[in-house]
Amino acid sequence: LKRDLISIDDLTLEQIERYLALAEKVERLPPDQKRTRLPGRVLAVMFYEPSTRTRLSFESAMCRLGGSVIGFSEAGSTSVAKGESLRDTARTVERYADVMVIRHPREGAARTVAEAAQVPVINAGDGANQHPSQTLLDLYTIRKFFGGLQSGLRIALVGDLKYSRTIHSLVQALALFSGVEFLLVSPPGLKLPAYLKETGAAAKASFRETEDLREAIKRSDVVYMTRIQKERFPDLLEYEKVKDAYCLTAQMLDGAPKQLRVLHPLPRVNEIASDVDETVHAGYFEQVGNGLVVRQAVLLDLLGVAP
Ligand code: CP
């Protein structure tokens, strides 16, 4: 039976832990041993929305495992422009590839592709819904910084908690680990959707809301910044009102606990000033780097190949 990676909600805590352990193994492998893992295998990338990190890290992950990559980063250059359906595109591409990665603006699009295709499908972001491989690399990053995903982690989620798919996946995943304290920092119109606080797993976590970023810096182990997701706003006037809601600067981090780490899925616009990059707290480029081994682990796992 083929497996997919569509939503964090589909995974148990044990399955998440397994992915993290697998990524650790992959990270320890010498490059020449990695290159022999997936020769002859083909990854298809289907990106209906812009991407730098997710697409290129999946492509790099596949190439460095010895496989090859086909696909598109702009649906306008494909037969989608002639009106081909997502389902038909999936049933075509699966004949050319062993595994598929899809990013699409519509929530549920990756699930549609997974149901249509016989090969494993990875959701690289569907609208404001989910971004599960980002979450696995976020967890991997937090674990590396803190030596584990210990009970009682205090994490501030800052910015666009309504539309950010990375936030939605991350909340669901972290809620599975016991005793996580979430501090939700957002403008009133961009609060975390209620359903994410109402799951069985979420009952083990605590959620508190504030609009005060300085309070979050004082009280957190991780400050997870997000971009205000301009492309999801039905009314751009509403975006204009909140686009500069939070901007973290190095000065705001003066006196913060040394172990505090600032993460961000990237790209950033102006929510983290560039002077933060030079502080001990900046963790977002290490986070980007971790995407490579985590996505290698996902590819190996879904293709049934040991690291
Ligand atoms: N974090 C993330 O998804 O980045 P990209 O949009 O560049 O892929």
Side-chain angles (χ1 to χ4, degrees):
L1 192 68
K2 68 125 177 176
R3 287 185 302 118
D4 309 293
L5 179 60
I6 304 301
S7 172
I8 282 293
D9 211 22
D10 297 336
L11 301 180
T12 61
L13 178 60
E14 290 68 31
Q15 287 169 320
I16 290 174
E17 299 260 34
R18 207 177 138 265
Y19 271 127
L20 302 182
L22 206 53
E24 249 174 27
K25 266 193 192 169
V26 171
E27 188 164 8
R28 284 198 297 267
L29 274 182
D32 59 325
Q33 285 187 34
K34 281 193 202 178
R35 276 195 292 276
T36 58
R37 290 300 187 267
L38 295 178
R41 304 291 187 103
V42 177
L43 165 71
V45 292
M46 301 161 61
F47 277 65
Y48 293 76
E49 273 194 339
S51 168
T52 298
R53 279 144 290 272
T54 312
R55 184 170 66 84
L56 296 184
S57 63
F58 266 118
E59 292 190 1
S60 178
M62 192 64 177
C63 292
R64 290 181 176 181
L65 289 168
S68 319
V69 180
I70 59 170
F72 55 86
S73 57
E74 213 279 288
S77 67
T78 72
S79 287
V80 170
K82 302 176 205 161
E84 186 163 48
S85 70
L86 188 59
R87 198 174 286 274
D88 283 1
T89 305
R91 294 179 68 182
T92 302
V93 174
E94 69 169 336
R95 284 167 166 76
Y96 310 141
D98 301 290
V99 55
M100 292 152 74
V101 179
I102 175 166
R103 171 170 289 186
H104 198 284
R106 185 166 59 73
E107 296 187 12
R111 183 86 64 196
T112 300
V113 170
E115 285 166 3
Q118 304 298 313
V119 301
V121 175
I122 299 165
N123 180 6
D126 59 329
N129 186 32
Q130 284 276 318
H131 194 349
S133 68
Q134 175 71 45
T135 292
L136 293 176
L137 80 88
D138 292 344
L139 297 176
Y140 190 74
T141 302
I142 294 170
R143 212 168 75 151
K144 271 179 95 170
F145 276 132
F146 295 95
L149 275 157
Q150 74 277 36
S151 178
L153 178 81
R154 299 168 307 162
I155 181 164
L157 306 175
V158 184
D160 186 348
L161 310 188
K162 180 177 179 181
Y163 294 120
S164 171
R165 56 197 174 201
T166 69
I167 290 287
H168 302 163
S169 298
L170 185 60
V171 168
Q172 286 182 328
L174 279 175
L176 295 171
F177 294 84
S178 67
V180 174
E181 293 178 28
F182 292 100
L183 190 54
L184 308 175
V185 189
S186 71
L190 295 179
K191 286 187 179 179
L192 188 74
Y195 78 90
L196 289 163
K197 294 187 261 180
E198 288 162 3
T199 62
K204 289 189 290 178
S206 74
F207 295 88
R208 202 160 65 74
E209 291 182 349
T210 177
E211 290 178 35
D212 185 355
L213 178 53
R214 288 179 192 272
E215 183 199 348
I217 292 166
K218 271 191 230 150
R219 296 179 187 279
S220 306
D221 304 303
V222 175
V223 172
Y224 191 103
M225 302 293 296
T226 60
R227 177 177 65 88
I228 308 292
Q229 308 275 302
K230 182 179 181 182
E231 63 276 30
R232 311 274 176 238
F233 280 68
D235 179 354
L236 279 184
L237 286 176
E238 292 304 312
Y239 167 74
E240 288 296 326
K241 285 183 202 160
V242 292
K243 70 180 168 75
D244 298 319
Y246 298 104
C247 179
L248 182 65
T249 63
Q251 183 269 327
M252 291 166 81
L253 291 165
D254 277 352
K258 198 168 174 215
Q259 74 276 8
L260 173 81
R261 285 293 170 273
V262 177
L263 301 183
H264 191 310
L266 302 181
R268 66 177 148 181
V269 182
N270 54 4
E271 58 279 359
I272 302 179
S274 57
D275 61 3
V276 176
D277 301 1
E278 312 313 320
T279 70
V280 294
H281 306 293
Y284 30 95
F285 284 108
E286 274 179 78
Q287 187 183 359
V288 167
N290 290 332
L292 188 63
V293 288
V294 169
R295 288 176 171 131
Q296 284 179 324
V298 170
L299 290 170
L300 288 170
D301 181 60
L302 294 183
L303 290 169
V305 175

